[in-house]
Amino acid sequence: MRKHLLITSLVLSGVPLLAQNEAPQSNSQEKPLRWDIRLQATVQRYGVVYPITGNNQISLLPLQAGAGYQISRRVGVQISVAYRSEQGGLDMNRRWSVPVWGRYTLTRRTTRRTQFDAVAGATFLRDQHQFYVALEAPPGQEQQWVWQQEHLSDEFFNIGVSMRNRLGKRFEAVTDLALNRRVKGAIFNSNLQFYTANVGLRYRFRVGGR
């Protein structure tokens, strides 16, 4: 738990500094829509090391839900959750991911309908893997199978780009593409095959008139 908090703190520590360097927003009667919720189709691929079965490549899909907060005109933070349960043959997996990202708007004019952002953060991945293992049986005896399970807990750095297209006052279409790099070190030759791609909608709102 301490390690998870440390990674999250390091990732988001630069967000307030970016916000402080911006010019203050002009005063208006209508307060900005700082909060948002989102629902996105997602494809997430990771290179992992299981305690028993070793190196593997896994994925999460098809949906993730999240929420975010806009600190300033250009700086925002978001957290999302994706879950997948699958069973095939002799294996069963229950896995979920929690991406915690910061985003910085790159578009010069933040009032444009289409905006481009740089995104960076960390993803916390969990997986419960259950599977059958065949035991060696003497000749002439029936094959015996044993049910085993292993638990995976891993963290990944994420960096990428995002495009937002305003559909109205409160709705935006959002597309994200980021690379996923294992915090403990890569276990495959290429990191380009491990990525997160999201496409979906974001609904913006205000809380308590602020």
Side-chain angles (χ1 to χ4, degrees), residues 73-148:
R73 288 178 301 168
R74 294 188 180 276
V75 180
V77 293
Q78 65 188 63
I79 183 171
S80 306
V81 177
Y83 173 80
R84 183 183 187 185
S85 177
E86 60 180 349
Q87 183 172 1
L90 303 176
D91 290 80
M92 182 173 67
N93 288 87
R94 292 188 179 93
R95 61 179 64 118
W96 57 96
S97 67
V98 181
V100 181
W101 289 4
R103 62 173 60 235
Y104 182 82
T105 300
L106 301 173
T107 311
R108 184 173 182 181
R109 293 177 56 189
T110 58
T111 56
R112 289 185 179 273
R113 180 176 296 274
T114 300
Q115 300 287 322
F116 292 92
D117 302 333
V119 295
T123 295
F124 305 100
L125 180 67
R126 302 292 178 269
D127 191 355
Q128 179 181 345
H129 179 211
Q130 297 176 318
F131 55 99
Y132 281 103
V133 176
L135 299 179
E136 294 186 7
Q141 293 189 11
E142 185 178 353
Q143 181 73 64
Q144 299 293 320
W145 296 83
V146 176
W147 183 250
Q148 291 191 0

Side-chain angles (χ1 to χ4, degrees), residues 150-162:
E150 56 185 346
H151 297 272
L152 172 70
S153 178
D154 219 338
E155 296 81 32
F156 296 82
F157 288 126
N158 317 113
I159 186 169
V161 294
S162 176

Side-chain angles (χ1 to χ4, degrees), residues 151-176:
H151 297 272
L152 172 70
S153 178
D154 219 338
E155 296 81 32
F156 296 82
F157 288 126
N158 317 113
I159 186 169
V161 294
S162 176
M163 182 180 71
R164 293 178 288 119
N165 203 335
R166 190 169 65 251
L167 304 179
K169 181 180 179 181
R170 294 178 179 267
F171 283 96
E172 289 181 332
V174 181
T175 302
D176 306 317

